[in-house]
Amino acid sequence: MRRSPFALVLALASQMGQAAQGVPVVAAAASLLGTFFVGRADAAAISGPEVVESWLLPRYDTLLAEARANREAWQALCAAPSQAGIAGLKTRFGAVSDGWAAVEFITFGPVMLSLRADRMNLFPERRNAVARSIADLVADPTDERLHAERFPRLSAAAQGLPALERLLYDDGAAAALLSGPEAGRRCAIGLAIATNIEAIASEIRQGWGNRQDGLLAQLIAGKSDPVYFPDPSALMNQIVTDLAGAYQRVVDQRMLAVLGKTADDAKPLTADRRRSGRSKATIVAMIASADSLGTRLGEGLDPKGREALDKAFAAADAAAAKLPDDIGAATKTTQGRKALHDAITVFKAAQASVADPLASGLGVALGFNSLDGD
């Protein structure tokens, strides 16, 4: 039975109306609750495993490579502290941050296990949890919690990119890594976090495997997996659902939550990556990655559908590029708020295009992401 494009848009509007805080439900079965199905249109066949192999896994490869280089940079700094070493760490931080942003919206597969997404990037942060976790580790005179077998069991607030950002970008943090009574301890904490980030990226990538082994091989063979895909045919549904969720993450979590209803209600200090000055860069990376996924999926549509998608995604890329460099500061000015609202309109249009023509054209189910903070 085929649903109309209007029904698709209504369902997606419900998705976009969710509140701004929280993390998505990632289990495949849960993500399909409340979905609706559309009949397959006259579109070229496109394989979910092929999308994983050609689009997703290269991005996990990049994330792992950047995480490894970041860990090596921390090792080098701890061995020989220098201003040049700090500058190198900041460059590496940006590369890992962008690498994660490119895949953050993917909620299926090995990233589901062991709170890997939260441990990699706890966002939105609540009750200043990251600062408290770092202060607690700095004050601890022992190294027990920094050991690789113990560190992954600590609070997610201490483990990932937000914690590393504070060690590098908080006021006086860079200087404290080079000299003073806490320098050695802070460097050891940074190295523990960097090692943990690399381990998480490695676990995710290893879990996917290749065409011969791991989850990818199972999906290619059409075999079910009790943890990830009890129904392997649900893979394409999940891919399309997560694509829609990418734009929602940007709009709800990175923009609306910071904007508030008025300038007086704005919360500039909650902007993602504000300390490192990468609040815009994170959005650009996520939008670019989502647009590239949408374009890849759009290869299965007819020319009219592809043209509509290309237009929506090109507009989203352009809107991201035009964003103010400091998202938080922009929420406090009339011009800045207008720029943010203009971009939101474009991103929502790109999200709507995931429903129609993409989902309707491919004949797949579009599920509802749960970004309601419950």
Side-chain angles (χ1 to χ4, degrees), residues 48-238:
E50 182 183 1
V51 173
V52 169
E53 184 178 30
S54 65
W55 180 88
L56 178 58
L57 297 192
R59 283 166 172 75
Y60 278 136
D61 288 337
T62 296
L63 174 63
L64 177 56
E66 296 296 354
R68 181 176 296 117
N70 179 59
R71 186 259 304 159
E72 291 171 349
W74 274 95
Q75 285 180 319
L77 181 82
C78 293
S82 68
Q83 289 289 351
I86 294 292
L89 284 179
K90 290 182 176 181
T91 298
R92 292 300 180 190
F93 175 82
V96 179
S97 178
D98 287 354
W100 174 249
V103 294
E104 181 191 311
F105 57 90
I106 298 300
T107 65
F108 57 86
V111 73
M112 294 167 56
L113 297 185
S114 304
L115 296 175
R116 285 169 180 158
D118 283 347
R119 289 167 50 221
M120 179 69 81
N121 188 56
L122 185 65
F123 181 81
E125 177 190 358
R126 292 184 174 84
R127 297 185 293 275
N128 207 26
V130 174
R132 290 187 288 106
S133 294
I134 292 297
D136 181 53
L137 286 175
V138 170
D140 188 346
T142 72
D143 289 335
E144 180 183 356
R145 288 191 290 172
L146 302 186
H147 294 165
E149 65 275 8
R150 174 76 184 279
F151 196 80
R153 301 199 297 270
L154 302 185
S155 165
Q159 293 192 40
L161 289 164
L164 211 56
E165 184 182 33
R166 282 184 175 272
L167 281 173
L168 282 170
Y169 291 98
D170 268 350
D171 290 342
L177 283 168
L178 297 178
S179 62
E182 296 179 351
R185 180 64 178 179
R186 285 177 171 271
C187 208
I189 294 169
L191 179 56
I193 297 171
T195 301
N196 185 63
I197 287 172
E198 181 187 3
I200 295 170
S202 179
E203 289 163 0
I204 295 170
R205 184 59 186 89
Q206 289 178 11
W208 274 108
N210 52 46
R211 296 182 68 86
Q212 289 75 42
D213 299 291
L215 181 58
L216 177 60
Q218 289 180 241
L219 291 170
I220 290 174
K223 296 179 180 179
S224 64
D225 184 281
V227 176
Y228 303 121
F229 288 101
D231 177 9
S233 67
L235 174 60
M236 185 60 78
N237 302 339
Q238 189 65 57

Side-chain angles (χ1 to χ4, degrees), residues 258-334:
V258 188
L259 266 166
K261 293 183 178 179
T262 68
D264 291 337
D265 296 327
K267 299 177 181 179
L269 298 184
T270 65
D272 191 21
R273 300 287 191 267
R274 70 171 180 84
R275 291 173 178 83
S276 56
R278 301 191 62 82
S279 56
K280 172 183 176 178
T282 301
I283 293 175
V284 169
M286 193 175 298
I287 291 295
S289 187
D291 290 344
S292 69
L293 174 57
T295 299
R296 176 69 183 87
L297 295 171
E299 293 173 7
L301 300 184
D302 59 27
K304 183 178 180 180
R306 287 198 302 272
E307 182 181 3
L309 277 184
D310 289 345
K311 182 178 180 180
F313 296 148
D317 278 335
K322 293 178 182 177
L323 282 170
D325 289 334
D326 188 332
I327 300 298
T331 66
K332 288 297 187 179
T333 69
T334 300

